[in-house]
Amino acid sequence: MRKEGHKDVDEFFQAARDQNLIITGCTKSATERFLDVVLTEQKIAVACGHFSAALHLCVEAGEDPDKQAFSSICVKLSEVFESIKKNMMSTAENNVSTLGLGLDLESRYQEAEKEMLFRRTCKLAELETARRNAEKAKPVKKAAMEEVKKAAETEFNHICGVAKQEIARYEAARVQMLQQALVQWCEKQLLTARESADQFDQCLQGFRGMA
């Protein structure tokens, strides 16, 4: 925990750590709320399915014109709620497979970056310790401590170089990935909306035909 809050000597990595902390929290919050929306859609779909089935229980056989008319209305309404059920299930599935997946990947990317930055911070703390040890070392151990310090500096500089490349590659990838997820989400939403409009239009025509 102490190393996580360790002040960085490089402004680039300090800014990356600060940004990662903020975005990780925002991504987690957005993912949780989006999943709440999906769960609500699934609950609505289940409720519509139950209501559709319940309407069929109201259908009665017989020659009575009123009963026949009432039964026909129940059947049509059942079809409407079955269409709503299918629409909600399709919407929920599309949400999970597009933006839901995109948010999950974004969250995993953020956690991976956080882990990389933390490991670099640990190496920074080790390097600072090696430098202090070299400064305080007695003449007998001075040469050995200097070698340890140089090895730590070489390793740390290599880690920093690789980390900067990985962060730049990651930033480009995450923007492209989120953009693709949002576009797919919108396309799926539009397709589902058109299909739903066609289904509801058919139901409306059916009700008009009963008049």
Side-chain angles (χ1 to χ4, degrees), residues 67-93:
K67 287 185 178 180
Q68 289 180 350
F70 180 72
S71 295
S72 296
I73 292 173
C74 288
V75 170
K76 289 296 181 183
L77 278 174
S78 176
E79 292 174 358
V80 170
F81 279 95
E82 186 65 24
S83 294
I84 296 173
K85 171 193 169 183
K86 291 179 180 178
N87 168 258
M88 281 296 173
M89 288 302 296
S90 178
T91 300
E93 290 171 3

Side-chain angles (χ1 to χ4, degrees), residues 189-207:
Q189 291 283 67
L190 285 171
L191 179 62
T192 302
R194 291 193 184 101
E195 291 175 348
S196 299
D198 290 340
Q199 290 173 0
F200 291 144
D201 183 61
Q202 291 174 12
C203 292
L204 180 60
Q205 296 304 322
F207 274 109

